[in-house]
Amino acid sequence: MTCDAPAAEPTVWRSYGTRRRSTRAVRVRVCAALVAVTVLAVLLVPPLAQLDQQAVDLAAKLRPPSWAHPFGTDDLGRDLLLRCVYGLRVSLLVGLVAALVAAVVGTAVGAAAGALGGWADRAVMRVVDTLSSVPHLLLGIFVVALFRPGVVPVAVSVASTHWLSTARIVRAEVLSLRSRPYIDAAVSGGASRRRVAVRHLLPAVAPQAAIAATLMVPHAMWHESALSFLGLGLPAHMASLGNLVQGARGSLLAGHWWPTLFPGLFIIVPTLAVAGLAGAWRERLNPRRRSELML
Amino acid sequence: MLELRSVTAGYARKAPVVHGVSLAVAPGEAVGLLGPSGCGKSTLARVAALLHRPDAGTLVLDGEPVRRWRHRAPRAQRTAVGVVFQQPRLSADPRLRLADLIAEPLRATGRREEAPRRVPELAAAVGLTRDLLGRRPHEVSDGQLQRACLARALVLRPRWLICDEMTAMLDASTTAALVAAVEDYRAATGAGLLAVGHDHTLLHRWCDRTVHWDDLSDAVAGEEGLVTPSPVTDGS
């Protein structure tokens, strides 16, 4: 045997591991940057620009993208970039409110069902199963149809159809926690049902519920766009991403691609970015479960 | 007296783990319950601590039969029995600092103001230093965590103490320290003890009398006249 063998190559698993970690880090950074840009645009552009997104200029209708109108103009000569930012603002608002309401309702219902157990649990979960068996969009359309068009009914419709998955996740978590000895210890220490829920169960399910809520934001935005696209969501004059795509449908056949493309990108990119961030967060908390985009 | 009368209990109605078992602990007495792994000792301990509703049989606590279990049991009855479980990791809420862990029963029963006085006192009694009280369960060892769990069981001054394999996972010195802490508490308050375990030597030295699981079922203990099988009554 000779001692002058070449130095050991770096092990394969190590280089593989670092590469995987770096792609994930890049993904998270890209998503974070996109979310930051979106939020900044939505918060800063309307007050800074001082421009009227409703300003009609029929002389400049359906102009392709140019320096004056980076995203072009729509069939009434309105600036599409401005319309898209305002639309994203509305969609993001609906998405956030709906996701928050859905998460709170879902957590409350899931925790109550899991903590009470027995008949209450079975009854509540059967209701959840029944509601889940109806397609969300159909149920959402039904709820929207009950009210005058506006932001609130759309948020209510999206929230009322989306608390179900959170309720399921939270209930499963509570059920697994309920039989832990530390809950027994709390009961033996004189804790009431409410005390056990507030002090021991809810803090333990809070991370799961927060992830579910974050993953729901993009889903809620898509839902809002779908409702608006169907003409059931927000009133037609209001710039929402769904309304913009809906309004541009006609001009697509005439070869005007920009009024559809840009609002479409505005729906896809921020929602994917939020979903990517939430997925990375979940992967970090619970590495066993591979992240899938919950869209 | 803490009396278990022909208790049948388990997790599936058709296959009870504990079958017609009777056992009594007198005030101030220390009873060691020996038995092989998986025989149902822990289930019996859970029944005695009002944490598990038996399918049949009665638990009589200080002359009063227990009719409701877990949350439904009157708070005074529940807190009259302190429990220390086998696995400290699982029996401590991972989010609470040790000081909060020990004070939790006081807070849950509306005696929050006693906590600043009782917690250091108990920490000293079970041998926890001040710096450990600020740590969370994952930052301390099993033995240290079990000391905190014992302190939590003692904080409401229970008249009965149930130690379910309290020292099964611990080294000899921690075992000795925990047993000493339990004995100090019993000497001061006259509390009764039911120590469940499989370590003959330890339980023989620790307890006034030890009973073996196999001698507890009614078929064997019938001559003691404790056998009056009665269906359990529960308000629910």
Side-chain angles (χ1 to χ4, degrees):
Chain A
M1 264 183 89
T2 54
C3 290
D4 53 2
E9 291 286 312
T11 44
V12 174
W13 60 267
R14 197 170 141 214
S15 62
Y16 178 69
T18 46
R19 195 178 63 217
R20 254 184 72 179
R21 197 178 318 148
S22 71
T23 47
R24 189 197 293 177
V26 168
R27 199 181 82 197
V28 169
R29 275 190 207 145
V30 169
C31 288
L34 285 173
V35 171
V37 168
T38 308
V39 171
L40 281 180
V42 159
L43 289 180
L44 295 181
V45 168
L48 286 183
Q50 298 285 342
L51 294 170
D52 185 6
Q53 47 121 354
Q54 304 277 30
V56 174
D57 181 3
L58 287 175
K61 69 175 193 170
L62 286 171
R63 288 274 169 84
S66 64
W67 282 114
H69 304 288
F71 284 9
T73 57
D74 67 3
D75 53 356
L76 291 174
R78 294 176 292 196
D79 181 54
L80 265 175
L81 174 59
L82 212 53
R83 297 278 290 170
C84 281
V85 171
Y86 274 89
L88 185 60
R89 201 181 195 195
V90 172
S91 296
L92 207 57
L93 178 74
V94 171
L96 284 174
V97 170
L100 192 71
V101 172
V104 170
V105 173
T107 307
V109 172
L116 290 175
W119 270 107
D121 180 29
R122 261 171 274 166
V124 169
M125 290 329 281
R126 284 306 84 78
V127 171
V128 168
D129 288 344
T130 312
L131 286 176
S132 305
S133 68
V134 185
H136 284 174
L137 195 58
L138 214 59
L139 208 59
I141 289 172
F142 173 73
V143 175
V144 175
L146 296 175
F147 302 97
R148 232 176 249 274
V151 174
V152 177
V154 172
V156 167
S157 138
V158 178
S160 63
T161 49
H162 285 74
W163 57 271
L164 305 161
S165 59
T166 316
R168 280 218 179 106
I169 294 170
V170 168
R171 171 183 171 267
E173 195 74 13
V174 166
L175 277 185
S176 90
L177 290 168
R178 215 163 63 117
S179 53
R180 302 269 167 100
Y182 74 77
I183 302 299
D184 282 345
V187 173
S188 171
S192 62
R193 240 181 233 285
R194 216 184 72 110
R195 174 96 189 165
V196 168
V198 171
R199 181 81 167 160
H200 302 290
L201 294 177
L202 282 181
V205 299
Q208 291 283 340
I211 291 175
T214 319
L215 280 168
M216 217 179 303
V217 172
H219 196 130
M221 286 170 69
W222 282 49
H223 226 84
E224 183 278 320
S225 303
L227 284 175
S228 297
F229 180 75
L230 292 173
L232 293 160
L234 301 169
H237 69 275
M238 212 166 169
S240 98
L241 295 174
N243 277 345
L244 290 179
V245 176
Q246 151 76 1
R249 224 164 24 118
S251 47
L252 187 63
L253 290 176
H256 307 305
W257 48 270
W258 55 93
T260 329
L261 176 72
F262 290 113
L265 281 180
F266 262 62
I267 297 175
I268 294 167
V269 174
T271 52
L272 280 183
V274 175
L277 273 188
W281 183 20
R282 186 170 72 184
E283 215 168 79
R284 215 180 132 152
L285 275 189
N286 187 358
R288 276 171 303 168
R289 205 163 135 193
R290 301 290 302 152
S291 75
E292 74 262 25
L293 300 173
M294 219 175 75
L295 294 172
Chain B
M1 289 288 270
L2 185 151
E3 270 184 275
L4 293 149
R5 292 185 189 161
S6 44
V7 165
T8 297
Y11 304 92
R13 227 159 225 286
K14 292 196 177 137
V17 188
V18 178
H19 221 101
V21 166
S22 302
L23 177 69
V25 184
E29 189 188 23
V31 176
L33 173 57
L34 285 162
S37 169
C39 68
K41 320 187 281 293
S42 291
T43 307
L44 190 68
R46 280 166 55 81
V47 171
L50 285 78
L51 289 173
H52 186 88
R53 191 165 76 91
D55 298 330
T58 30
L59 166 66
V60 183
L61 204 59
D62 299 312
E64 208 167 313
V66 173
R67 297 184 199 288
R68 291 156 169 267
W69 308 82
R70 290 190 73 90
H71 293 287
R72 295 170 204 269
R75 191 176 263 167
Q77 232 173 12
R78 252 192 285 165
T79 55
V81 185
V83 202
V84 187
F85 297 95
Q86 179 174 6
Q87 289 164 308
R89 286 285 152 222
L90 299 180
S91 53
D93 187 334
R95 270 161 297 277
L96 299 185
R97 293 173 198 285
L98 294 199
D100 297 321
L101 189 78
I102 297 171
E104 183 57 26
L106 287 175
R107 292 186 184 142
T109 50
R111 288 156 62 185
R112 184 177 294 270
E113 66 284 352
E114 292 175 41
R117 191 174 52 79
R118 289 283 283 152
V119 172
E121 188 182 302
L122 275 163
V126 298
L128 282 175
T129 52
R130 185 171 281 278
D131 61 312
L132 288 173
L133 289 179
R135 296 204 199 163
R136 289 180 205 281
H138 69 272
E139 298 167 317
V140 300
S141 74
D142 274 9
Q144 288 162 339
L145 196 53
Q146 191 66 303
R147 287 169 195 256
C149 289
L150 174 61
R152 172 180 63 184
L154 299 180
V155 76
L156 293 177
R157 300 185 197 281
R159 288 192 303 281
W160 306 97
L161 199 59
I162 295 177
C163 298
D164 180 10
E165 300 264 23
M166 178 175 73
T167 58
M169 300 171 79
L170 307 175
D171 62 31
S173 65
T174 314
T175 300
L178 282 170
V179 169
V182 169
E183 286 309 301
D184 287 347
Y185 172 75
R186 293 200 325 115
T189 59
L193 168 74
L194 176 62
V196 179
H198 59 261
D199 185 343
H200 288 258
T201 329
L202 174 72
L203 290 189
H204 276 300
R205 285 187 177 213
W206 182 2
C207 302
D208 302 328
R209 68 182 170 104
T210 56
V211 287
H212 198 273
W213 179 260
D214 296 337
D215 305 330
L216 283 182
S217 61
D218 292 337
V220 180
E223 63 269 23
E224 287 174 30
L226 285 171
V227 195
T228 36
S230 55
V232 70
T233 48
D234 189 305
S236 63

